[in-house]
Amino acid sequence: MSPPVAPPGWSRWLVPPAALSVHLSIGQAYAWSVFKPSLESALDLSGTQSALPFQLGIVMLGLSAAFGGTLVERNGPRWAMTVALICFSSGFLISALGAATEQYWLIVFGYGFVGGIGLGIGYISPVSTLIKWFPDRPGMATGIAIMGFGGGALIASPWSAQMLESFGSDSSGIALAFLVHGLTYAVFMSLGVLLVRVPRPAKTAADGTPAPLEGVQVSANSAVRTPQFWLLWIVLCMNVTAGIGILEKAAPMITDFFADTSTPVSVSAAAGFVALLSAANMAGRIGWSSTSDLIGRKNIYRVYLGVGALMYALIAWVGDSSKPVFIIAALVILSFYGGGFATIPAYLKDLFGTYQVGAIHGRLLTAWSTAGVLGPLIVNWIADRQEEAGKSGASLYGLSLVIMIGLLVVGFVANELVRPVDARHHVPAQKEKEAADVHE
């Protein structure tokens, strides 16, 4: 499938909606916690077990993005979006079969493995394309697209909760909900496949924006040999681990935190909290990433990691005594979590150029794979152990919160160590020109 090149006069503002159609769909992953209580009840699972499809999905997201990044660069966004559509929708259909037959391994395989491949390819599919369309405002451009991934749960969370209420929270009801998800997302993602275009290469756009290949350019193979790549890997991993631990456990967590108080949280209110977190996640992706265009990537990550650690400390110390404090601090953390995702492609562009930024971004997302295991594992495993020890309420999460603070401090230090890439890693100017000519 050849990348569809935009005809003369094509508006670059038609590309973000194409990206959003895919990212809003695959962003359903952030609403997984809505299914956790029903799965645990219907299939007799622990919190750690019910997190497994989500964890595997994030692992496969990073791995498929890392190994598929070069293919996405070579074959273009339409090919990538088509692969993402097939895998993500098929994952739900396989999961529906698993729920209907009460074979949990099929849910893990479908949603986690097959759907996770769709997550990874779909996630990176528009990123390098958008950076090439908006080289003058890379933070804003990637924020627009990746905003959709953060905002997917804003739609999916209440939608999924309503389906479980209508269809039932037993295995057959869960199966029907999975089936509806798979079919609906297939239709919605097809809009992006049909709409997406790539810019005409190596030429200045009609509106005066600069040509994509300018300044420092580093190949993907060279980038992974630089300390800058691995420092950003640590930065992303720490920021994601801290955010994803709350996100994956959001609905049960707020219920547990206030279970022993005079104002317990209902199931519907917990689902609303998940939707609020999704809104913060989404707003952070466009708001903070756009801010990074003004104040710089390193400065914005100082905010994500430093202020994020303070917010975790606030939850640990006073969260269970004040519901507004808990909610506001969690919303700030999730806005930083989303902002970190949306800003990292622009950070990569600043350091490594646009030459193979999609492939570099794909390789960096292995940090997300690691964090996708670490975050939920830390929160769920510690909560399960504390519950076995007879504890309840906010005490289930105290140790987890302290660990998250430590991880954010590690990420803060790594960000401080980032410096410009040494000239020996740069792609020679003639090679850049040849690469542009080949793509043209």
Side-chain angles (χ1 to χ4, degrees):
M1 184 180 293
S2 300
V5 178
W10 180 269
S11 173
R12 63 179 182 169
W13 291 102
L14 292 173
V15 182
L20 280 171
S21 73
V22 173
H23 276 235
L24 281 170
S25 299
I26 62 178
Q28 182 281 333
Y30 283 142
W32 178 253
S33 66
V34 174
F35 286 106
K36 281 170 65 71
S38 298
L39 285 169
E40 290 167 17
S41 175
L43 302 180
D44 192 25
L45 305 172
S46 67
T48 302
Q49 289 173 320
S50 67
L52 188 56
F54 176 82
Q55 287 176 290
L56 181 58
I58 299 302
V59 169
M60 294 309 301
L61 185 159
L63 293 177
S64 60
F67 289 105
T70 303
L71 288 175
V72 171
E73 288 280 298
R74 182 184 307 145
N75 296 329
R78 177 170 288 178
W79 174 87
M81 289 179 178
T82 302
V83 172
L85 184 160
I86 293 169
C87 291
F88 188 67
S89 296
S90 296
F92 268 113
L93 300 183
I94 294 169
S95 296
L97 178 61
T101 59
E102 298 188 0
Q103 297 294 315
Y104 186 58
W105 70 270
L106 275 175
I107 299 176
V108 175
F109 174 75
Y111 189 92
F113 184 81
V114 179
I117 294 173
L119 287 177
I121 300 299
Y123 188 85
I124 64 172
S125 61
V127 170
S128 64
T129 303
L130 279 164
I131 287 178
K132 290 167 185 172
W133 274 111
F134 294 88
D136 51 326
R137 286 180 281 179
M140 181 212 69
T142 55
I144 289 174
I146 296 175
M147 174 184 68
F149 193 87
L154 187 62
I155 300 169
S157 180
W159 184 41
S160 300
Q162 182 60 50
M163 275 194 281
L164 290 174
E165 184 177 333
S166 300
F167 301 152
S169 58
D170 58 359
S171 58
S172 61
I174 296 169
L176 189 53
F178 283 156
L179 177 64
V180 172
H181 275 74
L183 296 177
T184 303
Y185 285 134
V187 173
F188 194 61
M189 292 172 76
S190 66
L191 298 176
V193 173
L194 296 174
L195 188 61
V196 73
R197 299 288 188 278
V198 296
R200 302 179 70 81
K203 290 180 173 64
T204 302
D207 62 0
T209 56
L213 285 180
E214 288 186 352
V216 172
Q217 304 295 334
V218 181
S219 71
N221 288 336
S222 295
V224 297
R225 300 190 187 102
T226 66
Q228 288 82 358
F229 177 89
W230 294 106
L231 286 170
L232 289 188
W233 192 98
I234 293 170
V235 166
L236 183 63
C237 185
M238 298 301 100
N239 195 53
V240 173
T241 300
I244 210 168
I246 283 185
L247 198 57
E248 189 276 336
K249 189 78 169 176
M253 187 176 184
I254 192 171
T255 302
D256 291 337
F257 242 81
F258 298 97
D260 300 330
T261 70
S262 59
T263 55
V265 176
S266 66
V267 173
S268 60
F273 175 63
V274 175
L276 275 178
L277 291 181
S278 178
N281 188 353
M282 180 174 63
R285 289 169 188 246
I286 182 62
W288 293 121
S289 61
S290 296
T291 303
S292 78
D293 286 334
L294 302 175
I295 69 173
R297 320 304 169 195
K298 178 174 282 192
N299 285 332
I300 201 70
Y301 270 96
R302 286 170 174 151
V303 174
Y304 298 156
L305 300 161
V307 179
L310 294 178
M311 291 298 103
Y312 260 110
L314 195 61
I315 292 176
W317 291 333
V318 299
D320 61 335
S321 62
S322 173
K323 196 177 294 182
V325 168
F326 177 92
I327 293 173
I328 291 171
L331 292 176
V332 172
I333 290 170
L334 263 295
S335 77
F336 292 160
Y337 168 81
F341 277 121
T343 310
I344 204 71
Y347 210 161
L348 291 171
K349 180 260 183 187
D350 292 347
L351 290 170
F352 303 109
T354 60
Y355 174 49
Q356 291 188 334
V357 68
I360 297 170
H361 184 221
R363 286 162 170 77
L364 193 77
L365 289 182
T366 53
W368 194 356
S369 295
T370 304
V373 173
L374 281 180
L377 182 62
I378 290 169
V379 175
N380 283 289
W381 187 84
I382 292 176
D384 288 345
R385 299 294 81 75
Q386 298 286 55
E387 189 172 11
E388 289 172 2
K391 295 184 179 181
S392 62
S395 60
L396 295 174
Y397 303 97
L399 179 58
S400 300
L401 296 174
V402 172
I403 292 173
M404 297 305 179
I405 293 170
L407 293 177
L408 287 170
V409 171
V410 171
F412 188 93
V413 172
N415 182 54
E416 291 301 305
L417 297 175
V418 174
R419 299 290 184 272
V421 176
D422 190 278
R424 72 178 185 274
H425 297 292
H426 297 179
V427 174
Q430 181 60 31
K431 188 171 180 181
E432 288 180 27
K433 183 178 184 303
E434 290 173 357
D437 291 342
V438 167
H439 283 88
E440 191 172 7

